[in-house]
Amino acid sequence: MIEKEIKPRIVKGRVILKLKEEPSRVVATSVPTGRRSKVVNLGIASVDKILADYGTIGITKLRGPSTDSLPGGMRVRRVSEPETTHEAYGFTRTFIVKVPPETDLNSMVKKLKEDPNVENAELDYFARMAVVPNDRYFLHQWGLQRIKCEQAWELEKGSQDVIIAIVDTGVDRSHPDLVDKLVPGYDMVDLTDVESEEGCVWEGDIYTRDNNPEDENGHGTHCAGIAAASTNNGVGVAGVAWNCKIMSVRVLANIRCTTDEGTYVTGTGTFTDIADGIIWAADHGAHVISMSLGGLVPKNAPPPSGLKDAIDYASSRGCVLVAAMGNDGVNPEDYNYYAYPAAHPKVLAVGAIDKNDRRASFSNYGDYKHVMAPGVDIRSAYIGSDYADMDGTSMATPFVSGLAALIKSADPHLSPEEIVETIRQTATSHSEYSLEYGYGIVDAHSAIKKIIPEPLISAIDPCEAVIEGNLKDSADQKIYKIAVSNTLNINLDGPEGADFDLYLKKGAPPTIRDYDKRAYTVKPDEIITHLIDKPGDYYVMVRSYRGAGDFKLMVRRE
């Protein structure tokens, strides 16, 4: 069902308040994290007066201090990238203020913004999953073929070290296509004192945050299956990222709504819960954060700071963030709104195509620097260890998230920006960038081939040789074959200012994850000395981690 009413959904009785750094240090009250609190002031006189005037009934802190990440997530951080903390992004000085549901929130926000101790005050919004239900048991997976996954899998099937966080309605943790793929997740839904939208009622688990992110809806399970269902196991469906892991972060709850057209159940959550879910995923090892959800924000309003800061934080920790553009079938700007988080510049927005490569009738569009992926009649996992076909930009999003995980698997050193640009630059465009199709339809094979080019192998003299070559850009590489029977010394002399690496493997060309020995300092020059146990063919690869230029490779046998 496509909703015809195009407008933001505002959470009643809630204001998000962010103090400036200096005043936040003198907060006299101990404010709990979570969603339950009897605290009604902060110990800052001018702010407390405003809170009292509007009948504040509870204050909670958005997030506590940074905690150590759980083990299990591969984290490659460049030397130039600073460590990021909750404190640095202001999460510990951001508060959720609860007031009576009939409160004039716009007036309260205006008053708070006028206070010199306040950095920002804003409304909270509802986000919904971006799905259109379809008939079940429609046996096909045309989307994988359309984005050329089969050809991409010849080069890269994904790494178990790479984690995709499904920030959604949860995941069916006993599903046969998902059970072996899951790492610990979390249920971030806490709708305590949050009134449902008019004409709707909450259903299911809405009050308790815990480590049981079970799916009561089916949407999150469906998205997880598209991104990374167990593949080549003789069961159910295939996922884009064969070997990558799934982290379930539940941020959307079931809500039952009644309209003139009938009753339907969908998944809804608040921007603050979604922000918490993003932060949790980033703190616990996620490399890709997939968000098949979104809400609308007035065009003249700034991006919601809580969700914006969470996205910035996750990106700074090396996460690729992907989000659905929504299913209203419009350009939200025509209605003076924008879709969020799809509009965030560090988020890769995704629209949906049908089997004829046309924009799906329900898919939103606009200037979001987006890409397109299959989103009609998409078969995937479903709750109850079942399978279903669904439509939506929700379904298109995990195709792109899975591709981002494949790229991260192929080269763990790539930054989020580099992964996003690889996806955009290798997309199949209808012509040029457009509001309707963005950069075009994602192409998994072209994207992976850009990261792992087919090796061009040159044979060199095993006794002593000097080879001159050139690498044109980051991730460019050259591979050489050497027939040798004893100790092998390899010296690389690279260009100043670049960072070139050496890889060695016996019997087959090395890759960045499959090698016998490698040398990878931050310098352009590298050395490998390898004692040969048995005669045979050895392959050496020169690869640019950063930079370009001419190099000399000196190989000699001792």
Side-chain angles (χ1 to χ4, degrees):
M1 185 182 88
I2 301 173
E3 295 185 1
K4 297 175 182 177
E5 191 176 25
I6 311 298
K7 68 176 184 179
R9 298 181 173 91
I10 297 169
V11 179
K12 293 181 180 179
R14 177 180 284 189
V15 166
I16 310 302
L17 168 65
K18 187 175 186 179
L19 296 176
K20 292 180 180 177
E21 188 169 357
E22 194 65 34
S24 72
R25 295 173 182 167
V26 297
V27 169
T29 310
S30 178
V31 182
T33 56
R35 295 293 182 265
R36 295 169 179 82
S37 172
K38 295 182 179 179
V39 173
V40 295
N41 60 67
L42 295 171
I44 300 174
S46 59
V47 175
D48 288 345
K49 183 180 185 308
I50 298 172
L51 298 179
D53 288 346
Y54 284 89
T56 296
I57 56 180
I59 304 172
T60 57
K61 190 177 292 185
L62 179 65
R63 294 294 282 172
S66 299
T67 56
D68 293 335
S69 299
L70 290 178
M74 174 186 61
R75 180 68 62 198
V76 177
R77 184 173 64 87
R78 297 173 188 263
V79 175
S80 61
E81 292 176 357
E83 288 286 3
T84 53
T85 64
H86 292 185
E87 293 85 350
Y89 279 79
F91 301 146
T92 55
R93 49 190 171 90
T94 301
F95 303 89
I96 300 171
V97 180
K98 299 175 186 176
V99 292
E102 65 275 10
T103 301
D104 182 345
L105 298 181
N106 288 314
S107 171
M108 184 178 180
V109 165
K110 183 175 182 294
K111 286 286 187 184
L112 286 169
K113 282 185 172 181
E114 292 171 352
D115 190 284
N117 298 292
V118 173
E119 182 174 315
N120 190 47
E122 63 188 15
L123 307 177
D124 197 6
Y125 295 88
F126 285 115
R128 284 193 175 185
M129 61 190 195
V131 66
V132 182
N134 198 350
D135 294 334
R136 299 174 67 181
Y137 310 116
F138 185 45
L139 302 175
H140 65 289
Q141 283 188 274
W142 69 273
L144 294 175
Q145 285 76 38
R146 178 59 190 85
I147 68 169
K148 300 181 182 177
C149 278
E150 290 176 289
Q151 297 94 320
W153 292 334
E154 294 294 325
L155 300 172
E156 179 61 65
K157 295 182 176 67
S159 167
Q160 293 187 14
D161 292 326
V162 174
I163 298 171
I164 306 169
I166 304 296
V167 178
D168 210 288
T169 63
V171 172
D172 181 352
R173 296 187 298 165
S174 62
H175 197 288
D177 256 334
L178 302 173
V179 64
D180 294 331
K181 305 298 292 292
L182 295 171
V183 300
Y186 202 78
D187 183 352
M188 275 292 170
V189 173
D190 189 343
L191 298 169
T192 304
D193 300 329
V194 175
E195 285 198 3
S196 61
E197 301 171 63
E198 187 175 349
C200 304
V201 293
W202 298 115
E203 292 187 342
D205 178 10
I206 63 169
Y207 298 120
T208 306
R209 286 187 165 186
D210 54 33
N211 60 0
N212 181 27
E214 192 65 37
D215 190 0
E216 299 176 335
N217 180 282
H219 183 267
T221 299
H222 199 272
C223 292
I226 295 168
S230 295
T231 303
N232 204 29
N233 63 346
V235 176
V237 294
V240 175
W242 278 32
N243 298 322
C244 296
K245 295 294 186 179
I246 297 167
M247 174 189 289
S248 173
V249 182
R250 183 172 181 260
V251 298
L252 302 180
N254 272 1
I255 191 168
R256 183 177 295 276
C257 300
T258 301
T259 68
D260 293 340
E261 300 175 8
T263 299
Y264 65 95
V265 176
T266 188
T268 297
T270 64
F271 275 18
T272 48
D273 280 356
I274 294 166
D276 276 355
I278 291 169
I279 296 166
W280 194 94
D283 283 346
H284 291 79
H287 302 91
V288 179
I289 296 178
S290 187
M291 300 174 286
S292 292
L293 50 79
L296 295 174
V297 178
K299 187 177 179 180
N300 59 0
S305 65
L307 187 50
K308 174 188 176 297
D309 290 347
I311 291 168
D312 288 338
Y313 173 78
S315 178
S316 73
R317 288 190 65 104
C319 299
V320 178
L321 296 108
V322 187
M325 292 182 67
N327 293 344
D328 303 302
V330 301
N331 181 350
E333 286 210 6
D334 293 342
Y335 296 81
N336 292 316
Y337 303 120
Y338 61 90
Y340 211 79
H344 191 293
K346 292 181 181 177
V347 170
L348 180 55
V350 184
I353 59 162
D354 61 21
K355 295 176 186 177
N356 296 312
D357 293 350
R358 293 191 297 258
R359 178 179 65 83
S361 60
F362 53 76
S363 182
N364 285 358
Y365 56 97
D367 190 11
Y368 289 80
K369 304 297 183 285
H370 57 288
V371 293
M372 308 294 283
V376 176
D377 287 341
I378 304 301
R379 181 168 172 78
S380 184
Y382 200 73
I383 52 175
S385 297
D386 209 339
Y387 299 89
D389 289 330
M390 290 176 139
D391 297 350
T393 54
S394 277
M395 285 60 256
T397 298
F399 277 105
V400 179
S401 301
L403 174 54
L406 282 183
I407 295 170
K408 185 70 174 179
S409 300
D411 189 346
H413 298 94
L414 291 176
S415 69
E417 294 80 10
E418 289 168 330
I419 291 173
V420 167
E421 281 308 301
T422 297
I423 293 172
R424 286 173 174 160
Q425 290 170 13
T426 56
T428 305
S429 176
H430 278 65
S431 54
E432 298 179 350
Y433 176 84
S434 68
L435 295 183
E436 191 165 8
Y437 290 95
Y439 287 91
I441 304 165
V442 296
D443 185 326
H445 184 225
S446 294
I448 298 301
K449 196 164 61 170
K450 183 177 176 65
I451 303 302
I452 310 177
E454 296 179 7
L456 299 174
I457 302 172
S458 303
I460 60 178
D461 187 336
C463 296
E464 185 166 346
V466 177
I467 301 98
E468 295 184 353
N470 179 279
L471 298 182
K472 295 180 173 58
D473 202 350
S474 299
D476 194 9
Q477 61 191 35
K478 295 284 192 303
I479 298 178
Y480 302 93
K481 177 181 175 182
I482 313 164
V484 67
S485 58
N486 50 11
T487 302
L488 183 63
N489 288 292
I490 307 170
N491 291 266
L492 171 65
D493 181 7
E496 188 171 347
D499 182 358
F500 286 6
D501 300 330
L502 270 178
Y503 296 78
L504 180 70
K505 182 176 175 61
K506 182 181 179 181
T511 69
I512 60 173
R513 289 193 294 111
D514 183 16
Y515 53 84
D516 295 333
K517 188 170 284 189
R518 70 170 174 169
Y520 60 110
T521 68
V522 296
K523 300 176 181 179
D525 304 334
E526 303 289 354
I527 298 174
I528 288 180
T529 299
H530 188 64
L531 183 62
I532 307 301
D533 53 352
K534 291 182 180 179
D537 291 334
Y538 284 77
Y539 295 79
V540 61
M541 177 171 72
V542 182
R543 180 179 171 86
S544 170
Y545 173 69
R546 183 185 62 250
D550 298 329
F551 67 85
K552 286 185 179 180
L553 188 67
M554 291 152 281
V555 180
R556 73 176 183 275
R557 182 182 66 191
E558 293 185 353

